[in-house]
Amino acid sequence: MRGTEDTGPAGERAGGQDAARGPEGVAPGQDPVGGQDAARAQDATRAQDDQARRAGNRAGRAQNERAHGQDRTRAQGDQARRPGHPVAQPHEDHGPVRYGPPAPDPGLPVLPELAAVLAAASARTRPEPPGGGPVLREAARGYWDRRGLRGTAGGIAAAPGAQPLLLALIGAHGGDVLMPRPCPAAWMPQARLLGRPAYHVPTPAECGGIPDPYALLETVRRVRAEGGRPKLLLLSVVDDPTATVAPPELVREACEAAVDEGLHIISDETWRDTVHRPRDTVLLSPAEMCPDDVTVIADLSGALVPAAWPVAVARFPDTPRAAVRHARTLDILTALGALVAGPVAHAAAHALGEPDSVRDRIRRAAALQTEVAAAAHRAVLGSGALARPPQAGRHLYADLGPLRSRLADLGVTDSMELEEYLTDRLGAPAPGGHRFGDELGALRVRLGTGPLLGATPQQQTESLAAAKPLELPHVARALDGFAAVFAELR
């Protein structure tokens, strides 16, 4: 189990972004969810067999020009054999971690007030101290305090982005890591860099982001029986890639199961301020239920600042053990040189304070995505594909399994080829499910809705201000083009 084996029925060794990368990744395994076990095992076996038959390792293909040329020749040959059918062209950006997909693009210009705050601080030449300075940490404390998560500024740590912060947090906790499948593309590389064994656990049918409680218990049991040390559970109540919000009762069951088994929980709440209908959605943070056993992290690019200004914050429990882990986290951030830039920290603290302009932008952006994401969801369903209704974020997660036959005619047989095909056809990133830990053979893909808001800052601003954004000409054209791509697959 501690090599590249999967965990069998209880859960699989996480393969992350590079699920098809030979000895580094792990071939898809099985899920412990009743009658679906055999079918999922068969799918996984077929995916392995297909992968073995292909020339070379597809994930390493981005680093191997000769293999890339062979695939291009094959694609051209397929196209010649099927005139009139567009064939996905190979890319060099779908295997190595450095080509991992970014978070979904908001498709909106920078808030002018935040740009002015950043510009005013541009003369700052020194970075923040490890974990952030007192102003930034106090702003983060107030942000969580307004969401019912009380604490002290001394229990906050900041870093230049979610990835180094998560790396430091995993490093500060010993043992193996568990995470739901699918999960954010950035999670698995952090465990891999630290050499930590990591395991995927299936999610419930209702949502993504959290593990099925019974599957979690079985995975923990099997990992321990085979010599593992499960210590840490990553989850996200408001999820990337599925764009779902986990029901409070499922959050409670998953957290209780984790705590009963001695797991510490890291709750990624990056997307909590992007919920489409906040008045109709009950959002429960795991830290509200298990305050002593949950560390909360948030990448501020979710709703507060642009992704080009990297900053993320973590809130630790108020316990002696958490204080030790907080200190370890700061040690790791110091060793990495992972310090928040001074001007960015100033702008981040302003955004965390949530002045009226920031709150208004959050509200307007969520309302806009409610309309646009729902329209994109209808287009996907109209093609015969499957997708949960998006509840948050600026994306949706589609399963094109029902269109497998038609996609095979186009040379698309797995999520890697699906990523290539849809990225080319949509003209925007469409990362395949293998990026998020799903099986390579499953035809799943994350579709961003930010590109549908406009091609220029002026168009994007018009979309943000419009009472009926779907009636704007540029939004209507973008949605028509999006729908046309999926209509071709019917």
Side-chain angles (χ1 to χ4, degrees):
M1 170 153 317
R2 299 182 71 80
T4 58
E5 305 90 340
D6 74 37
T7 64
E12 71 173 23
R13 181 69 180 272
Q17 293 175 324
D18 297 334
R21 291 193 68 188
E24 282 189 35
V26 180
Q30 299 174 328
D31 290 338
V33 283
Q36 297 178 352
D37 289 357
R40 292 197 179 189
Q42 291 171 359
D43 286 343
T45 302
R46 283 196 295 271
Q48 289 176 319
D49 292 341
D50 290 342
Q51 181 184 5
R53 285 194 295 269
R54 292 183 175 91
N57 185 314
R58 286 151 116 2
R61 186 173 59 185
Q63 298 174 330
N64 189 322
E65 276 297 321
R66 184 169 61 183
H68 182 59
Q70 291 172 348
D71 285 334
R72 182 186 297 110
T73 301
R74 184 183 66 180
Q76 291 170 344
D78 289 345
Q79 189 171 20
R81 288 191 295 272
R82 293 191 295 270
H85 290 283
V87 176
Q89 294 299 314
H91 287 228
E92 292 189 4
D93 61 354
H94 57 248
V97 170
R98 67 179 180 275
Y99 293 126
D105 185 357
L108 296 173
V110 178
L111 184 65
E113 180 178 317
L114 281 183
V117 171
L118 182 74
S122 61
R124 296 190 178 193
T125 59
R126 297 180 63 85
E128 294 282 286
V135 174
L136 177 57
R137 289 187 287 107
E138 176 59 28
R141 183 209 61 78
Y143 170 86
W144 272 308
D145 187 77
R146 290 188 295 275
R147 285 153 181 80
L149 302 179
R150 306 226 186 306
T152 65
I156 303 295
Q163 289 90 338
L165 184 56
L166 184 58
L167 179 73
L169 287 170
I170 295 174
H173 291 77
D176 304 350
V177 184
L178 282 72
M179 60 189 74
R181 186 182 67 191
C183 67
W187 284 4
M188 184 57 200
Q190 315 312 319
R192 179 176 294 162
L193 285 169
L194 290 166
R196 296 291 173 82
Y199 304 88
H200 278 133
V201 184
T203 55
E206 295 90 337
C207 64
I210 63 170
D212 177 89
Y214 298 102
L216 175 63
L217 292 172
E218 180 63 11
T219 300
V220 170
R221 183 190 68 79
R222 288 183 59 87
V223 170
R224 285 179 176 153
E226 298 185 23
R229 296 189 309 120
K231 293 292 185 180
L232 197 59
L233 172 65
L234 309 184
L235 53 76
S236 54
V237 177
V238 185
D239 186 47
D240 169 32
T242 65
T244 58
V245 179
E249 60 272 17
L250 289 179
V251 177
R252 182 177 299 278
E253 291 174 7
C255 291
E256 288 177 349
V259 172
D260 287 347
E261 291 297 328
L263 303 181
H264 186 78
I265 299 168
I266 294 180
S267 176
D268 187 340
E269 300 184 9
T270 294
W271 302 99
R272 70 172 296 152
D273 292 327
T274 69
V275 172
H276 293 173
R277 293 183 172 87
R279 293 184 179 180
D280 302 327
T281 305
V282 179
L283 196 164
L284 185 63
S285 170
E288 296 180 65
M289 295 178 296
C290 309
D292 294 343
D293 299 288
V294 178
T295 298
V296 182
I297 64 173
D299 190 325
L300 302 194
S301 67
L304 293 174
V305 302
W309 306 354
V311 58
V313 288
R315 173 195 175 274
F316 288 75
D318 188 14
T319 66
R321 178 178 295 182
V324 173
R325 290 169 176 162
H326 180 269
R328 290 176 182 168
T329 299
L330 297 187
D331 287 342
I332 296 171
L333 291 174
T334 302
L336 294 173
L339 310 177
V340 181
V344 171
H346 188 60
H350 183 82
L352 285 165
E354 298 180 290
D356 291 343
S357 60
V358 171
R359 288 200 302 269
D360 182 67
R361 167 58 71 89
I362 291 173
R363 180 184 60 80
R364 287 179 177 271
L368 175 59
Q369 286 294 344
T370 300
E371 299 290 332
V372 176
H377 182 248
R378 290 192 294 270
V380 169
L381 295 185
S383 72
L386 305 174
R388 293 187 182 101
Q391 298 174 283
R394 38 200 183 243
H395 56 283
L396 62 151
Y397 197 55
D399 184 346
L400 276 64
L403 309 177
R404 185 176 295 274
S405 176
R406 169 61 175 158
L407 286 167
D409 290 341
L410 301 173
V412 177
T413 61
D414 60 30
S415 65
M416 198 174 289
E417 292 170 341
L418 181 63
E419 174 180 310
E420 294 175 343
Y421 176 82
L422 287 178
T423 296
D424 283 339
R425 299 289 290 141
L426 294 171
H434 62 286
R435 305 279 198 174
F436 311 104
D438 261 334
E439 300 95 335
L440 181 66
L443 295 174
R444 299 188 183 114
V445 63
R446 188 186 72 189
L447 302 166
T449 54
L452 303 174
L453 306 184
T456 67
Q458 180 181 357
Q459 289 182 342
Q460 296 163 354
T461 301
E462 290 176 6
S463 299
L464 192 64
K468 296 182 179 180
L470 302 187
E471 297 180 4
L472 293 174
H474 63 270
V475 174
R477 284 194 302 270
L479 283 169
D480 287 345
F482 181 91
V485 170
F486 287 91
E488 293 173 355
L489 302 178
R490 285 192 293 224

